[in-house]
Amino acid sequence: MGTGTHPAASDPVPPPPEEAMSSPPAEYPDLSPEADAAISDLLAGQPGLPMPPGVRDRITAALAAEAATRAALRSNDADPAEPAVRLAKSVDPVREREDLT
Amino acid sequence: MTGRDDHALLRAHAEGDPQAFAELFDRHADRLWSLALRTLQHPQDAEEVLQEAMISAFRRAGGFRGDAAVGTWLYRIVLNACFDRLRRRRPGLTAVAADDVLDRVASAAPGPEETAVRRAVQAEVEAALAQLSADQRAALVLVDLEGRSIDEAAVILGCAPGTVKSRCSRGRARLAPLLRHLVEA
């Protein structure tokens, strides 16, 4: 009998879909709705984990530094030495350079 | 504090208000920290990732389209950064002990005995959560611990609502043998 339609042993096996890969092993059977709700309620009753003051201070400082950088960049963009109205360009400078070479 | 809502703060930030983003961060800091710490199970990683994520959000705020809650947008940025970190995490880095995580919990209980009981229960819950895959843990943190809806968790996680439900129910099934004594108590 021909086996031409069967995949060879060395053919790559396509990976299972994500949900199949994360299926619980047999020791984790589906819970009853009541047990599922009980675990859910237990988790819902847990308090949050407040951010430690030191962490908050460091991240706030990093954001302040970022804000200062942004303000400096905006200040440079608004440099009064620049003309308020830019002159229209008659020639694309990049194209001009390419043409010269 | 200015009393502005999240969208107004983000708009003000995009228009150049230097205080607006810090106020937005301060408003969401504890929830974002809980999410990062519980997803990564490592305080130093959580701090680094959260800082990177906030800087990224600061810079990308102008592109926020406003079709989701600002909190949802921030959660998504933080969670994506957490999953990036988990993919790049060096082998051998282990999660910290639940007690170490719980050192970051404020003691709000009225008496020392009750505080100790609550702390013990929470330590068991946090240790059990650490046994889950990152996908299942993130889904349960969002839906059960944070009280987000399935649809909102799906937006944050970037997957279908059915996938969130599936991850939650499988995660709870995996937690059940570890936490059953707390439920039955």
Side-chain angles (χ1 to χ4, degrees), chain B residues 30-152:
Chain B
D30 285 341
R31 287 189 293 273
L32 294 172
W33 172 252
S34 283
L35 178 68
L37 184 56
R38 281 174 165 144
T39 303
L40 293 169
Q41 297 287 308
H42 195 278
Q44 190 179 337
D45 272 4
E47 178 177 347
E48 289 174 9
V49 164
L50 192 50
Q51 180 165 320
E52 290 166 10
M54 288 301 98
I55 297 290
S56 171
F58 182 104
R59 293 173 180 168
R60 290 159 53 186
F64 176 69
R65 296 196 305 269
D67 48 6
V70 174
T72 301
W73 177 70
L74 290 174
Y75 264 62
R76 182 159 186 173
I77 291 172
V78 170
L79 207 46
N80 281 341
C82 287
F83 284 128
D84 277 350
R85 175 61 62 102
L86 287 170
R87 279 191 287 271
R88 291 188 284 114
R89 184 174 265 179
R90 58 192 181 278
L93 181 68
T94 53
V96 297
D99 272 352
D100 194 12
V101 172
L102 291 179
D103 282 341
R104 288 140 180 95
V105 178
S107 55
E113 194 173 326
E114 191 176 349
T115 301
V117 171
R118 286 189 191 186
R119 191 183 168 89
V121 169
Q122 196 178 7
E124 287 201 57
V125 170
E126 298 292 344
L129 282 169
Q131 303 297 311
L132 302 180
S133 70
D135 283 346
Q136 289 174 350
R137 190 164 57 242
L140 282 176
V141 167
L142 290 170
V143 174
D144 283 351
L145 286 107
E146 297 284 333
R148 306 268 163 177
S149 70
I150 294 286
D151 286 345
E152 192 180 0

Side-chain angles (χ1 to χ4, degrees), chain A residues 18-19 24 28-29 31 36 38 40 43-44 46-47 49-52 55-56 58-60 62 66-67 70 74, chain B residues 13-16 25-26 29-30 33-34 38 47 50-51 58-59 104-105 122 144 163 166-167 170 172 183:
Chain A
E18 181 197 357
E19 291 309 306
Y28 303 118
L31 297 177
D36 185 84
S40 180
L43 295 178
Q46 299 308 306
L49 305 174
M51 179 178 283
V55 174
R56 187 183 292 262
R58 287 189 288 276
I59 296 179
T60 300
E66 190 71 16
R70 185 177 71 156
R74 287 190 173 199
Chain B
H13 165 69
E15 290 166 358
F25 164 69
D26 197 56
D30 285 341
W33 172 252
S34 283
R38 281 174 165 144
E47 178 177 347
L50 192 50
Q51 180 165 320
F58 182 104
R59 293 173 180 168
R104 288 140 180 95
V105 178
Q122 196 178 7
D144 283 351
T163 304
S166 162
R167 288 177 185 171
R170 286 173 180 163
R172 291 184 201 117
V183 173

Side-chain angles (χ1 to χ4, degrees), chain B residues 159-174:
Chain B
C159 62
T163 304
V164 176
K165 282 187 193 172
S166 162
R167 288 177 185 171
C168 285
S169 60
R170 286 173 180 163
R172 291 184 201 117
R174 210 169 161 195

Side-chain angles (χ1 to χ4, degrees), chain A residues 13-85:
Chain A
V13 177
E18 181 197 357
E19 291 309 306
M21 283 193 290
S22 60
S23 294
E27 62 265 36
Y28 303 118
D30 287 345
L31 297 177
S32 68
E34 294 77 15
D36 185 84
I39 296 293
S40 180
D41 289 347
L42 175 67
L43 295 178
Q46 299 308 306
L49 305 174
M51 179 178 283
V55 174
R56 187 183 292 262
D57 290 348
R58 287 189 288 276
I59 296 179
T60 300
L63 290 174
E66 190 71 16
T69 301
R70 185 177 71 156
L73 289 172
R74 287 190 173 199
S75 170
N76 286 346
D77 285 347
D79 188 342
E82 289 214 354
V85 179

